[in-house]
Amino acid sequence: MKEVPTEPMPVVLGIDDLRPLPRATRIARTSREGIHLLEEHRDSFIDELWLDHDLGGDDTIMPVVTLMEEAAFSGRPFQIGAVFVHSANPIGAETVVRSLTRWNYHVQRATA
């Protein structure tokens, strides 16, 4: 019997403290978990990355954004098809979009 080649499942990562993100294949709930999640996928392609700005308490997405900026600065940006920023914090979301766009990540505001 001949095997039919299958398309690999898209890698959709989410970093959000509350939302279920049904399209996500993996979800991190804190910035620390988000950093670990990205590091696990350091050498592979991420189809979509969903980011929330406010992650509960004093935690925000900014440590993850810093990791992504530093990777781009060092010449090894994360390979991500699209970054979607979904946040009820418009100023925080705009900061993330502006920061990552500056480093040539494909970023857009979205609703989760």
Side-chain angles (χ1 to χ4, degrees), residues 83-106:
V83 179
F84 297 97
V85 180
H86 60 275
S87 178
N89 178 337
I91 294 170
E94 186 55 34
T95 300
V96 173
V97 169
R98 212 176 21 229
S99 297
L100 294 178
T101 299
R102 180 180 313 126
W103 291 102
N104 296 319
Y105 290 102
H106 302 284

Side-chain angles (χ1 to χ4, degrees), residues 34-108:
I35 287 169
H36 290 300
L37 189 58
L38 276 183
E39 288 173 344
E40 285 177 28
H41 290 82
R42 183 66 186 100
D43 296 317
S44 59
F45 184 77
I46 300 166
D47 294 279
E48 296 178 13
L49 177 63
W50 289 78
L51 304 176
D52 183 18
H53 182 271
D54 300 319
L55 299 175
D58 293 333
D59 196 15
T60 71
I61 200 64
M62 293 315 291
V64 174
V65 171
T66 299
L67 174 72
M68 293 172 68
E69 289 174 314
E70 289 172 350
F73 176 79
S74 68
R76 282 194 68 221
F78 287 89
Q79 300 304 305
I80 303 171
V83 179
F84 297 97
V85 180
H86 60 275
S87 178
N89 178 337
I91 294 170
E94 186 55 34
T95 300
V96 173
V97 169
R98 212 176 21 229
S99 297
L100 294 178
T101 299
R102 180 180 313 126
W103 291 102
N104 296 319
Y105 290 102
H106 302 284
V107 188
Q108 59 185 298

